Structures are given as C-alpha cells and as structure tokens.
Amino acid sequence: MTTATDGQLSALGARIRARRRELGRSMREVARAAGVSSSYLGAIESGRNPATDRPPLPSLRVLAALARELGVELGVLLASVGLGDETDDEPTHTLLYVLERGRAGVLDHVARLHGDTERWVHIPDPRDAGERRAALTCAWPLGADPYPDHLLDPDRVVAALERELRAGARRLGEARTGLVIADCSAVMRWVTNPEDELAFEHRWPGDVERIFRVALGRPPTANVCVYHHDDIEALALQVDPLAIGLSLLRTHTAVALLRGDGTLLAGTPAAREILLALKPAGVRSATWADLCAAASAGLAAR
C-alpha cells in the first residue's frame, strides 16, 4: 500500500469516520473490536499522525478489521487508496439478519451497507408482494422453478440465477451491481431439507461470482443473504435455531442486523444481538449475555 497518496489516506479516514458515526459507534468501541488503539484509529480518521504530521498508513489487517466492524466491503476501503481490485478474487458474502416482523424495505437497508453499489439484482421474499424497485427483480414463487417442490436443489437455484442475469445483462449495463437474495429463510421453511440451505451458503459466494463474471463480465460488488428471525424460530422442530445462527455467522464474511425499530448494526454488535435473540430455553439471561459477548467477538474476528 505504499502507492497511496496523502490525499487518498485522508479520504480513507474521512470515509471510516463517517461510517462509524452513521452506525452510532464510539471510536473506543470500534478500535477495541478491530484490535487497534483509540489514538491510532483517531489518527486514521483525522488523516494526521502527530509523530509525522502525515496520514498514517494502516495495514491490510487493520483495514480488514475496520471493514468488518463497520459493515463495509474491504474493497471499498482499498479503493480509497487505489487498490480496489485486490479483492476481486474473494467474493463478499454478507448476512443481513432481520429481527423485525415486516419484510418490505430490505433494499433500503442493504443500500446503507453497500453504498458503492449502483444497481441491484433482487430476489425478493416470495411472501412480499411489494418492493420491485431493483434494476433487476427475480421473482421466484414457492411451488415454481427453482422451487417446484419441497426439496431444495441448489443446482436449480444456480441455473435460475444465471438465466436471469443473462436475460437482464443489458438492463444492468456497466454499473456496479450487487445481489441481494431475500428468500433464504422463507425457502428454509418451505423445503423438507432446510439443512441443505445452510450447506448451500458454503458454495454460494463462488457460484455467484462465477455467474456474474459469465453473464456480466465482472464480479458482484455485494452478495447479501437475508434471513428473518421469525422464520428461524419457526424451524425449531427441525433444526436448532442456535445451530442455524452459528452456521450463518461462520459462512458469511460480513454480518449486519436490522432491529425492529429500523436500527442497523454491523460487525461484532450485530453478531452479539443475533446470538442474544437465539438464547436457548433454560439459560440465564445474564450468563447468556456474557457468552454472547465473547462468542460474537470471536466469530466476527475469524
């Protein structure tokens, strides 16, 4: 990163500061979660190292930690210093866990997480009759392809997405394009093999990147999977909700949570609230809160 100019580093710091304030997180909290001192994060944000009177040059490890905690793509931060292409080979995989009951408005919240994305390919929740504002909407009703019956077939899903992208390539043009698939937990409730949906998350980033490169000639700028807490709870007789939550946290490289009041959290705070919401019966709340605090930091730092 030695090619970064002082101007680029100052812009990077301003971007980090603005995002941290947007999330309502303190400098001390973010610094601690990212493994740096508050003074160093302050120097990054202000674009001035008191010892050198120049902007500090954060390492890739520090940038990756800050990206994770602030719920932004590492590629966005790297682009600020002229290295945005370095992450093309590692697809972004974002979990958006929704605590609120409503299913509309997902795109607005996703756009807050990925502000660099200009157009969206949206696979909406089939139970949501609205929200067709994406550049390309792929409406996949339950009972029709790629979900013709109650058995999830990942290859059908991959083939359907490729058909949709090929057909909509002209509409998307050359814009920076991301994908949000909001039917994940709805499908888990529909099929008889919900565990296969969780296993599918392991291969999904690679499948999405391949399809985007084939159909559009470029990787996605975002790949967001949306799960609703009420769906996860409804699956309790088939799959342990806590096991579902842990699997989702492990298979996604970025984590965000949408509260019922519209508050959007990212990074460690989001992982902690997901685990808190999945507290097993019989465990004391205080004990579970302590366990979640430790576990969420570990999961977000993996």
Side-chain angles (χ1 to χ4, degrees):
M1 296 180 59
T2 55
T3 58
T5 66
D6 285 359
Q8 288 173 321
L9 291 171
S10 294
L12 169 68
R15 181 188 289 270
I16 290 172
R17 180 177 62 245
R19 177 58 176 166
R20 177 180 60 76
R21 290 177 173 174
E22 179 186 0
L23 293 174
R25 298 184 65 184
S26 69
M27 185 179 295
R28 177 177 297 180
E29 177 191 6
V30 172
R32 181 172 61 250
V36 298
S37 67
S38 297
S39 60
Y40 184 56
L41 178 56
I44 293 174
E45 291 190 357
S46 65
R48 180 180 178 273
N49 184 336
T52 64
D53 203 33
R54 296 183 59 188
L57 182 64
S59 68
L60 183 59
R61 181 197 67 79
V62 169
L63 285 181
L66 290 173
R68 179 192 71 233
E69 288 305 313
L70 298 176
V72 299
E73 310 228 11
L74 176 57
V76 173
L77 297 186
L78 289 174
S80 299
V81 290
L83 296 175
D85 291 335
E86 286 198 0
T87 59
D88 279 356
D89 294 330
E90 189 172 341
T92 303
H93 195 200
T94 301
L95 167 66
L96 176 58
Y97 195 90
V98 183
L99 287 181
E100 63 178 6
R101 294 286 176 178
R103 307 187 188 284
V106 167
L107 283 177
D108 291 334
H109 296 293
V110 168
R112 290 169 60 193
L113 291 171
H114 300 280
D116 63 319
T117 297
E118 299 169 319
R119 294 181 183 173
W120 289 98
V121 177
H122 181 211
I123 303 171
D125 189 312
R127 300 163 297 186
D128 174 21
E131 195 162 28
R132 299 290 186 268
R133 296 177 293 105
L136 178 62
T137 298
C138 310
W140 294 348
L142 300 176
D145 192 68
Y147 311 121
D149 50 44
H150 290 274
L151 187 68
L152 175 66
D153 182 347
D155 291 335
R156 277 184 176 271
V157 178
V158 171
L161 179 59
E162 185 166 348
R163 287 196 302 271
E164 298 271 13
L165 277 187
R166 287 181 181 275
R170 181 173 298 180
R171 195 183 318 169
L172 296 169
E174 300 298 321
R176 293 176 58 82
T177 303
L179 170 70
V180 53
I181 177 165
D183 69 356
C184 302
S185 56
V187 171
M188 286 189 74
R189 291 184 67 172
W190 163 258
V191 300
T192 57
N193 54 334
E195 298 93 340
D196 287 359
E197 173 78 16
L198 296 175
F200 191 15
E201 291 286 5
H202 288 278
R203 58 173 279 195
W204 182 244
D207 286 335
V208 169
E209 184 184 23
R210 177 187 62 78
I211 292 168
F212 265 69
R213 288 189 182 276
V214 168
L216 304 181
R218 60 190 184 277
T221 56
N223 178 7
V224 184
C225 301
V226 182
Y227 286 81
H228 290 266
H229 181 64
D230 57 334
D231 289 330
I232 304 304
E233 286 187 316
L235 288 162
L237 294 178
Q238 296 171 271
V239 188
D240 177 14
L242 179 57
I244 294 175
L246 289 171
S247 178
L248 293 177
L249 289 171
R250 289 176 178 135
T251 54
H252 291 81
T253 54
V255 181
L257 175 134
L258 180 61
R259 287 174 174 164
D261 62 1
T263 301
L264 189 64
L265 303 179
T268 300
R272 182 168 59 249
E273 287 217 17
I274 291 173
L275 293 176
L276 284 171
L278 296 170
K279 183 181 79 69
V283 180
R284 292 180 58 188
S285 296
T287 301
W288 186 246
D290 289 341
L291 289 172
C292 290
S296 59
L299 287 165
R302 69 199 184 284

Coordinates of all heavy atoms in Angstrom, one line a residue, residues 193-232:
N193 N -35.7 -30.1 3.5 CA -34.3 -30.3 3.8 C -33.7 -29.0 4.1 O -32.8 -28.5 3.4 CB -33.6 -31.0 2.7 CG -33.8 -30.3 1.3 OD1 -34.8 -29.6 1.1 ND2 -32.8 -30.4 0.4
P194 N -34.1 -28.3 5.2 CA -33.6 -26.9 5.5 C -32.1 -26.9 5.8 O -31.4 -25.9 5.5 CB -34.4 -26.5 6.7 CG -34.8 -27.7 7.3 CD -35.1 -28.7 6.2
E195 N -31.5 -28.0 6.2 CA -30.1 -28.1 6.5 C -29.3 -27.9 5.2 O -28.2 -27.3 5.2 CB -29.7 -29.4 7.1 CG -30.3 -29.7 8.5 CD -31.6 -30.5 8.4 OE1 -32.2 -30.5 7.3 OE2 -32.0 -31.1 9.3
D196 N -29.9 -28.3 4.1 CA -29.2 -28.1 2.8 C -29.1 -26.6 2.4 O -28.1 -26.2 1.7 CB -29.9 -28.9 1.7 CG -29.7 -30.4 1.8 OD1 -29.0 -30.8 2.7 OD2 -30.2 -31.1 1.0
E197 N -30.0 -25.8 2.9 CA -29.9 -24.3 2.6 C -28.7 -23.8 3.4 O -27.9 -23.0 2.8 CB -31.1 -23.6 3.1 CG -31.1 -22.1 3.1 CD -31.3 -21.5 1.7 OE1 -31.8 -22.3 0.8 OE2 -30.9 -20.3 1.5
L198 N -28.4 -24.2 4.6 CA -27.2 -23.8 5.3 C -26.0 -24.3 4.6 O -25.0 -23.6 4.5 CB -27.3 -24.3 6.7 CG -28.4 -23.8 7.6 CD1 -28.4 -24.5 9.0 CD2 -28.4 -22.3 7.8
A199 N -26.0 -25.5 4.2 CA -24.8 -26.1 3.5 C -24.5 -25.3 2.2 O -23.4 -25.1 1.7 CB -25.0 -27.6 3.2
F200 N -25.6 -24.9 1.5 CA -25.5 -24.1 0.3 C -24.8 -22.8 0.4 O -24.1 -22.4 -0.5 CB -27.0 -23.9 -0.2 CG -27.1 -23.3 -1.6 CD1 -26.0 -23.4 -2.5 CD2 -28.3 -22.8 -2.0 CE1 -26.2 -22.9 -3.8 CE2 -28.4 -22.3 -3.3 CZ -27.4 -22.4 -4.2
E201 N -24.8 -22.3 1.6 CA -24.1 -21.0 1.9 C -22.6 -21.1 1.7 O -21.9 -20.2 1.3 CB -24.4 -20.5 3.3 CG -25.8 -20.0 3.5 CD -26.1 -18.7 2.9 OE1 -25.2 -18.1 2.1 OE2 -27.2 -18.2 3.1
H202 N -22.1 -22.3 1.9 CA -20.6 -22.5 1.7 C -20.2 -22.3 0.2 O -19.2 -21.8 -0.1 CB -20.2 -23.9 2.1 CG -20.2 -24.1 3.6 ND1 -19.2 -23.7 4.4 CD2 -21.2 -24.6 4.5 CE1 -19.5 -24.0 5.7 NE2 -20.7 -24.5 5.7
R203 N -21.0 -22.8 -0.7 CA -20.7 -22.7 -2.1 C -21.3 -21.5 -2.8 O -20.8 -21.1 -3.9 CB -21.1 -23.9 -2.9 CG -22.6 -24.2 -2.8 CD -23.1 -25.4 -3.7 NE -23.3 -25.0 -5.0 CZ -23.9 -25.7 -6.0 NH1 -24.4 -26.9 -5.6 NH2 -24.0 -25.2 -7.2
W204 N -22.3 -20.8 -2.2 CA -23.0 -19.7 -2.8 C -22.1 -18.6 -3.3 O -22.2 -18.1 -4.4 CB -24.0 -19.2 -1.8 CG -24.9 -18.1 -2.4 CD1 -25.0 -16.8 -1.9 CD2 -25.8 -18.1 -3.4 NE1 -25.9 -16.1 -2.6 CE2 -26.4 -16.8 -3.5 CE3 -26.2 -19.1 -4.4 CZ2 -27.4 -16.5 -4.5 CZ3 -27.2 -18.8 -5.3 CH2 -27.7 -17.5 -5.4
P205 N -21.1 -18.1 -2.5 CA -20.2 -17.0 -3.0 C -19.5 -17.3 -4.3 O -19.4 -16.5 -5.2 CB -19.2 -16.7 -1.8 CG -19.9 -17.3 -0.6 CD -20.7 -18.4 -1.1
G206 N -19.0 -18.5 -4.3 CA -18.3 -18.9 -5.6 C -19.2 -19.0 -6.8 O -18.9 -18.6 -7.9
D207 N -20.4 -19.6 -6.5 CA -21.4 -19.7 -7.6 C -21.8 -18.3 -8.1 O -21.9 -18.1 -9.3 CB -22.6 -20.4 -7.1 CG -22.4 -21.9 -7.0 OD1 -21.5 -22.5 -7.6 OD2 -23.1 -22.5 -6.1
V208 N -22.1 -17.4 -7.2 CA -22.5 -16.0 -7.6 C -21.4 -15.3 -8.4 O -21.7 -14.7 -9.4 CB -22.9 -15.2 -6.3 CG1 -23.1 -13.8 -6.7 CG2 -24.2 -15.8 -5.7
E209 N -20.2 -15.4 -7.9 CA -19.1 -14.7 -8.6 C -19.0 -15.3 -10.0 O -18.8 -14.5 -11.0 CB -17.8 -14.8 -7.9 CG -16.7 -14.0 -8.6 CD -15.3 -14.2 -7.9 OE1 -15.1 -15.2 -7.2 OE2 -14.5 -13.3 -8.1
R210 N -19.0 -16.6 -10.1 CA -18.9 -17.2 -11.5 C -20.0 -16.8 -12.4 O -19.7 -16.4 -13.5 CB -18.9 -18.7 -11.3 CG -18.8 -19.5 -12.7 CD -19.0 -21.0 -12.5 NE -20.4 -21.3 -12.0 CZ -21.5 -21.3 -12.7 NH1 -21.5 -20.9 -14.0 NH2 -22.6 -21.6 -12.2
I211 N -21.2 -16.8 -11.9 CA -22.4 -16.4 -12.7 C -22.2 -14.9 -13.1 O -22.5 -14.5 -14.3 CB -23.7 -16.6 -11.9 CG1 -23.9 -18.1 -11.7 CG2 -24.9 -15.9 -12.7 CD1 -25.0 -18.4 -10.8
F212 N -21.9 -14.0 -12.2 CA -21.7 -12.6 -12.6 C -20.6 -12.4 -13.6 O -20.8 -11.6 -14.5 CB -21.4 -11.8 -11.3 CG -22.5 -11.2 -10.6 CD1 -23.5 -12.0 -10.0 CD2 -22.7 -9.8 -10.6 CE1 -24.6 -11.4 -9.4 CE2 -23.8 -9.2 -10.0 CZ -24.8 -10.0 -9.4
R213 N -19.5 -13.1 -13.5 CA -18.4 -13.0 -14.5 C -18.9 -13.5 -15.8 O -18.5 -12.9 -16.9 CB -17.2 -13.7 -14.0 CG -16.5 -13.0 -12.8 CD -15.1 -13.7 -12.5 NE -14.5 -13.1 -11.4 CZ -13.7 -12.0 -11.4 NH1 -13.6 -11.3 -12.6 NH2 -13.1 -11.5 -10.3
V214 N -19.6 -14.6 -15.8 CA -20.0 -15.2 -17.1 C -21.1 -14.3 -17.8 O -21.0 -14.0 -19.0 CB -20.6 -16.6 -16.9 CG1 -21.3 -17.1 -18.2 CG2 -19.5 -17.5 -16.6
A215 N -22.1 -13.8 -17.0 CA -23.2 -13.1 -17.5 C -22.9 -11.6 -17.7 O -23.4 -11.0 -18.7 CB -24.4 -13.2 -16.6
L216 N -22.1 -11.0 -16.8 CA -21.9 -9.5 -16.9 C -20.5 -9.2 -17.1 O -20.2 -8.0 -17.4 CB -22.4 -8.9 -15.5 CG -23.8 -9.2 -15.1 CD1 -24.1 -8.4 -13.8 CD2 -24.8 -8.7 -16.2
G217 N -19.6 -10.1 -17.0 CA -18.2 -9.9 -17.3 C -17.4 -9.2 -16.1 O -16.3 -8.7 -16.3
R218 N -18.0 -9.3 -14.9 CA -17.4 -8.7 -13.7 C -18.0 -9.4 -12.5 O -19.1 -9.9 -12.5 CB -17.6 -7.2 -13.7 CG -19.1 -6.8 -13.6 CD -19.3 -5.3 -13.8 NE -20.7 -4.9 -13.7 CZ -21.6 -5.0 -14.7 NH1 -21.2 -5.4 -15.9 NH2 -22.8 -4.6 -14.5
P219 N -17.3 -9.3 -11.4 CA -17.8 -9.9 -10.1 C -18.9 -9.0 -9.5 O -18.9 -7.8 -9.8 CB -16.6 -10.0 -9.2 CG -15.7 -8.9 -9.7 CD -15.9 -8.8 -11.2
P220 N -19.7 -9.5 -8.6 CA -20.6 -8.6 -7.9 C -19.9 -7.7 -6.9 O -18.9 -8.0 -6.4 CB -21.5 -9.6 -7.2 CG -20.6 -10.7 -6.9 CD -19.8 -10.8 -8.1
T221 N -20.5 -6.5 -6.7 CA -19.9 -5.6 -5.7 C -20.5 -6.0 -4.3 O -19.9 -5.5 -3.3 CB -20.3 -4.1 -5.9 OG1 -21.7 -4.0 -6.0 CG2 -19.7 -3.7 -7.3
A222 N -21.5 -6.8 -4.2 CA -22.1 -7.2 -3.0 C -22.9 -8.5 -3.2 O -23.4 -8.7 -4.3 CB -23.0 -6.1 -2.4
N223 N -22.9 -9.3 -2.2 CA -23.7 -10.6 -2.2 C -24.3 -10.7 -0.9 O -23.7 -11.2 0.1 CB -22.8 -11.7 -2.6 CG -23.5 -13.1 -2.6 OD1 -24.7 -13.1 -2.5 ND2 -22.7 -14.1 -2.7
V224 N -25.6 -10.3 -0.7 CA -26.3 -10.2 0.6 C -27.3 -11.3 0.7 O -28.2 -11.4 -0.2 CB -26.9 -8.8 0.7 CG1 -27.5 -8.7 2.1 CG2 -25.9 -7.7 0.5
C225 N -27.3 -12.1 1.8 CA -28.3 -13.1 2.1 C -29.1 -12.6 3.3 O -28.6 -12.3 4.3 CB -27.6 -14.4 2.4 SG -26.6 -15.1 1.1
V226 N -30.5 -12.6 3.1 CA -31.3 -12.1 4.1 C -32.1 -13.2 4.8 O -32.7 -14.1 4.2 CB -32.4 -11.1 3.5 CG1 -33.3 -10.5 4.6 CG2 -31.7 -10.0 2.8
Y227 N -32.0 -13.2 6.2 CA -32.7 -14.2 7.0 C -33.6 -13.5 8.0 O -33.1 -12.5 8.6 CB -31.7 -15.2 7.7 CG -31.1 -16.2 6.8 CD1 -30.0 -15.8 6.0 CD2 -31.5 -17.5 6.7 CE1 -29.3 -16.7 5.1 CE2 -30.9 -18.4 5.9 CZ -29.8 -18.1 5.1 OH -29.2 -19.0 4.3
H228 N -34.8 -14.0 8.2 CA -35.7 -13.4 9.2 C -35.7 -14.3 10.5 O -35.9 -15.5 10.4 CB -37.1 -13.3 8.6 CG -37.2 -12.2 7.5 ND1 -37.5 -10.9 7.8 CD2 -36.9 -12.3 6.2 CE1 -37.5 -10.2 6.6 NE2 -37.1 -11.1 5.7
H229 N -35.7 -13.6 11.6 CA -35.6 -14.3 12.9 C -36.9 -15.1 13.1 O -36.8 -16.2 13.7 CB -35.4 -13.3 14.0 CG -35.4 -13.9 15.4 ND1 -34.4 -14.7 15.8 CD2 -36.2 -13.8 16.5 CE1 -34.6 -15.1 17.0 NE2 -35.7 -14.6 17.4
D230 N -38.0 -14.6 12.7 CA -39.3 -15.4 13.0 C -39.3 -16.7 12.2 O -39.8 -17.7 12.7 CB -40.5 -14.6 12.7 CG -40.6 -14.0 11.2 OD1 -39.5 -13.8 10.6 OD2 -41.7 -13.8 10.7
D231 N -38.6 -16.7 11.0 CA -38.5 -18.0 10.3 C -37.6 -18.9 11.0 O -37.9 -20.1 11.0 CB -38.0 -17.7 8.8 CG -39.0 -17.0 8.0 OD1 -40.2 -17.2 8.2 OD2 -38.5 -16.2 7.1
I232 N -36.5 -18.4 11.5 CA -35.5 -19.3 12.2 C -36.2 -19.9 13.4 O -36.0 -21.1 13.7 CB -34.3 -18.5 12.6 CG1 -33.6 -17.8 11.4 CG2 -33.3 -19.4 13.3 CD1 -33.3 -18.7 10.3

